[in-house]
Amino acid sequence: MGVAWSDDLAIGIGIIDDQHRKLIERIAAFSEAVERKEVDQIDETVNYLVGYAIQHFGAEELLMIRNCYDEFDAHRDEHSWFIKEVGRVHRNLVEGALSPERITELRDMLVRWTLEHISVKDRRIARFIR
Ligand SMILES: [Fe+2]
């Protein structure tokens, strides 16, 4: 499953759009490593991805708090879910417990989650702030 930034994903808050572009670049790097079935690369890109996701979600959560965002709790739960899933992928990779099919499934799920989350949930924050 390929993934790339497109301007359709922009929510209209410059700093968040820049971070989303970087997040998607990291997901794309992970996705390509899965495609090539390179376990070391998969693990490295997962680490890189989770580090950036934590940083970006923190910035987004601060923006929500500052703006008294009405759906903060539910939004934060979605972020936590993503971090937990990526953490689980990492743990399973380290333990050698994932089949290539399962890694591909997890990758597809993370890609779908991200595109859906940005297009629906993050866009709602931008609408609320305006
Ligand atoms: Fe978000």
Side-chain angles (χ1 to χ4, degrees):
M1 181 182 256
V3 58
W5 171 261
S6 117
D7 286 338
D8 297 346
L9 290 168
I11 66 169
I13 301 176
I15 187 167
I16 298 294
D17 287 334
D18 287 347
Q19 291 178 2
H20 283 160
R21 195 176 294 121
K22 292 196 186 96
L23 183 67
I24 285 178
E25 277 168 20
R26 280 155 176 74
I27 290 177
F30 164 65
S31 193
E32 281 157 25
V34 170
E35 222 51 70
R36 290 193 304 267
K37 299 185 174 37
E38 292 170 355
V39 177
D40 287 354
Q41 277 292 312
I42 293 171
D43 197 39
E44 195 184 307
T45 52
V46 164
N47 279 318
Y48 192 52
L49 170 60
V50 76
Y52 193 75
I54 288 170
Q55 197 183 322
H56 160 63
F57 292 160
E60 221 178 73
E61 287 163 12
L62 182 60
L63 181 76
M64 287 189 272
I65 288 173
R66 281 188 176 148
N67 288 281
C68 304
Y69 186 55
D70 60 345
E71 289 188 1
F72 174 75
D73 289 7
H75 199 116
R76 186 159 206 244
D77 286 346
E78 287 212 9
H79 288 171
S80 301
W81 180 86
F82 181 89
I83 298 295
K84 276 189 266 184
E85 281 304 306
V86 178
R88 206 156 59 94
V89 172
H90 169 72
R91 197 172 62 241
N92 290 337
L93 280 169
V94 168
E95 290 167 355
L98 288 180
S99 67
E101 293 74 28
R102 187 73 189 120
I103 294 176
T104 304
E105 266 174 42
L106 288 168
R107 186 272 313 263
D108 291 350
M109 183 194 69
L110 293 176
V111 168
R112 269 196 302 272
W113 181 93
T114 306
L115 297 177
E116 162 89 14
H117 180 84
I118 292 175
S119 318
V120 179
K121 302 298 165 66
D122 292 340
R123 182 158 285 148
R124 190 183 181 283
I125 303 174
R127 258 203 321 269
F128 181 89
I129 290 174
R130 275 196 298 266

